[in-house]
Amino acid sequence: GKFGQLISWRGLCVETSEPLVEGGLVYMQACHADVPQTWYIGKLADLPPVRPSRSARFGTSLFCFALMLPGGYEVKLLTMQLQRNASVFACDATCVYSNMTIELGPGVTTHEVKSNLHCEKGGEFGTALNLEIFIEIWNAVFRDGGYLRQDWTVKADPDSVFFPDRLRVMLSDHWETPSGTYLNNCRFGMHGPIEVFSQNAVTTWLHGRQLCHDHFWKVCSGDCYWGEDLFIDQCLWKVLGASRENDFRLLVEDHCDPPDGWRSCRDRERVVFHPFKDVASYENCLAAGD
């Protein structure tokens, strides 16, 4: 059409925005095939303001899960968290996975997965090569289907001091997309102590992980020797086209250039403090944030 002209369009829905150097925002929006959409054709400076309607805002309900190694400090941490209704147990739905059925409290037992939960350390960053373990955990998440009843899925490590209410507030700033949205929690890339995925992102990961495996096997000429967090980050972002949104309020930890004094846990903007591996230090951090 000509500049200044309003036209009608039918097509695939995409919603995104990118900041301009001048400080403005350009909004790109298409519509579902059966819904007409009005477009304004003109110079960027002359475009009328466009905002997604508030009805498009995504919900903030949480399905949270953790992986627990039996026989160690993680059992004590998760038992304490259950007693205090803290961390993953303060989410709308919760599941704890392990390779044994263990009672954490009255009526609360782990969901058993077929894995010895053992992995080596290695790769470029000397991290835990835990991808195969977490593939089994994600298989269980998909089979259980609990993520389909909540807006967001959260994987939290047992030694992560996690404040779900803060996450719910944060998630009001993030939107669902057709291929899903997930949060990058560190400027070095997504780190595993807390991982947050929209419902569509989990479904995209479910259907696309084999494609990612094949892609990166070719890129690395074999095993890339990545941990689960690096693999799923690169998979969703670089291969499957999910929306990767930076929100560094999500995590403060020793491997992500933390500020001085971060272990006091007094920063009420942060959702997760990591790691706190014994009950006493965990409870102190939790109390400082309450």
Side-chain angles (χ1 to χ4, degrees):
K2 299 178 180 178
F3 274 8
Q5 182 181 1
L6 292 173
I7 63 171
S8 182
W9 177 264
R10 294 174 184 267
L12 178 67
C13 246
V14 178
E15 293 182 1
T16 187
S17 65
E18 294 291 342
L20 295 177
V21 175
E22 293 81 7
L25 289 175
V26 173
Y27 283 84
M28 209 175 47
Q29 186 172 17
C31 61
H32 292 291
D34 57 346
V35 180
Q37 176 75 28
T38 299
W39 292 82
Y40 182 89
I41 308 300
K43 296 179 180 179
L44 292 179
D46 297 330
L47 289 176
V50 178
R51 295 290 185 273
S53 67
R54 290 186 61 85
S55 63
R57 196 172 285 280
F58 200 45
T60 60
S61 64
L62 305 175
F63 167 68
C64 300
F65 71 92
L67 170 63
M68 185 188 77
L69 296 173
Y73 70 91
E74 293 183 347
V75 179
K76 296 178 181 179
L77 286 175
L78 284 163
T79 299
M80 175 270 295
Q81 292 165 23
L82 175 61
Q83 292 170 348
R84 288 177 166 271
N85 195 37
S87 187
V88 295
F89 299 103
C91 297
D92 300 279
T94 306
C95 191
V96 177
Y97 295 98
S98 187
N99 62 348
M100 298 174 58
T101 301
I102 299 172
E103 184 175 8
L104 298 174
V108 179
T109 58
T110 59
H111 289 218
E112 187 172 346
V113 294
K114 303 301 181 184
S115 171
N116 63 13
L117 304 186
H118 174 75
C119 68
E120 303 293 336
K121 288 189 176 181
E124 180 181 356
F125 306 104
T127 53
L129 303 178
N130 57 2
L131 177 59
E132 293 305 317
I133 292 172
F134 273 98
I135 289 294
E136 289 302 317
I137 303 303
W138 279 108
N139 285 340
V141 169
F142 299 143
R143 286 194 303 269
D144 294 345
Y147 81 94
L148 291 169
R149 294 186 285 276
Q150 310 300 332
D151 300 309
W152 296 86
T153 292
V154 179
K155 185 218 111 182
D157 286 352
D159 59 351
S160 292
V161 181
F162 169 34
F163 296 92
D165 282 346
R166 297 181 189 179
L167 178 58
R168 291 186 181 98
V169 172
M170 179 190 297
L171 290 176
S172 65
D173 296 332
H174 298 280
W175 302 70
E176 181 64 290
T177 63
S179 294
T181 298
Y182 74 103
L183 304 187
N184 176 38
N185 54 30
C186 177
R187 65 188 182 91
F188 304 127
M190 188 179 75
H191 284 191
I194 182 80
E195 299 174 5
V196 181
F197 309 92
S198 71
Q199 187 182 115
N200 283 358
V202 177
T203 300
T204 295
W205 162 240
L206 163 64
H207 294 297
R209 55 206 168 122
Q210 186 60 49
L211 177 64
C212 291
H213 176 275
D214 296 343
H215 173 81
F216 289 118
W217 190 269
K218 182 178 180 180
V219 169
C220 296
S221 300
D223 195 335
C224 292
Y225 296 103
W226 290 345
E228 177 262 359
D229 49 1
L230 178 56
F231 182 86
I232 196 170
D233 184 17
Q234 295 298 301
C235 173
L236 284 171
W237 182 25
K238 299 291 182 62
V239 180
L240 303 181
S243 177
R244 182 188 199 251
E245 300 187 0
N246 293 332
D247 202 323
F248 301 148
R249 297 171 295 174
L250 185 57
L251 173 67
V252 58
E253 68 154 351
D254 51 3
H255 295 303
C256 190
D257 195 18
D260 292 340
W262 69 273
R263 289 187 67 88
S264 70
C265 304
R266 293 195 179 99
D267 185 348
R268 294 181 177 270
E269 271 204 330
R270 303 285 187 164
V271 172
V272 165
F273 300 84
H274 175 268
F276 289 83
K277 294 183 180 294
D278 64 85
V279 169
S281 65
Y282 192 106
E283 287 184 315
N284 287 339
C285 182
L286 197 63
D290 285 341

